[in-house]
């Protein structure tokens, strides 16, 4: 089934980026591919400066995180973090609720190590949402 572009209502997002995300998700065949599609294409579709997706690795206390950064055409890299690590995506998974941070000062207060990381420098707000 295909949807005509002219049937989609106007929104503030980059329409072409939203379609790239939709195509990437439609072609994803595994959890890793879904995460890579969201990190790689979701950043532009949301108008964000960076994106990452964390996946709790089966039978471990590790979170696999795939990231994209400004100017990257897709996902940059996967890295593993302990679930207890003080970063927003791990906190959201650990607590089972959204982590919404509305200012750079709040980011620095809640997640000081994250505030100094290159992809985060200059970010004014962030959100980490747990999906079940």
């Amino acid at each position: 089934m295909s949807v005509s572009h002219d049937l989609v209502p106007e929104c503030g997002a980059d329409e072409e980026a939203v379609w790239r995300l939709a195509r990437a998700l439609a072609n994803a065949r595994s959890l890793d591919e879904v995460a890579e599609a969201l990190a790689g294409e979701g950043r532009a579709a949301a108008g964000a400066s960076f994106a990452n997706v964390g996946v709790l690795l089966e039978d471990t206390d590790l979170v696999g995180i795939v990231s994209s950064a400004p100017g990257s055409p897709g996902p940059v890299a996967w890295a593993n973090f302990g679930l207890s690590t003080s970063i927003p995506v791990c906190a959201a998974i650990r607590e089972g609720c959204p982590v919404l941070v509305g200012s750079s000062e709040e980011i620095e207060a809640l997640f000081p190590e994250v505030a100094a990381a290159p992809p985060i420098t200059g970010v004014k707000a962030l959100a980490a949402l747990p999906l079940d």
Side-chain angles (χ1 to χ4, degrees):
M1 176 171 135
S2 67
V3 177
S4 172
H5 284 266
D6 58 339
L7 296 177
V8 178
E10 285 295 317
C11 64
D14 173 358
E15 186 177 333
E16 194 54 42
V18 173
W19 283 107
R20 284 193 310 271
L21 173 60
R23 282 191 297 274
L25 289 170
N27 291 322
R29 300 290 181 248
S30 69
L31 181 57
D32 287 354
E33 290 177 357
V34 168
E36 289 173 1
L38 287 170
E41 301 295 344
R43 177 184 54 76
S49 57
F50 81 99
N52 63 31
V53 176
V55 177
L56 185 59
L57 302 177
E58 196 171 342
D59 298 324
T60 73
D61 283 339
L62 293 175
V63 177
I65 299 177
V66 61
S67 301
S68 70
S72 69
V76 174
W78 280 90
N80 293 335
F81 294 86
L83 185 57
S84 63
T85 304
S86 183
I87 59 175
V89 69
C90 289
I93 292 170
R94 192 173 54 247
E95 302 300 324
C97 60
V99 173
L100 305 172
V101 185
S103 71
S104 54
E105 294 81 19
E106 194 176 1
I107 294 170
E108 192 169 330
L110 294 171
F111 304 103
E113 298 83 17
V114 171
I120 301 283
T121 304
V123 170
K124 299 191 181 359
L126 61 82
L129 307 171
L131 304 176
D132 203 6

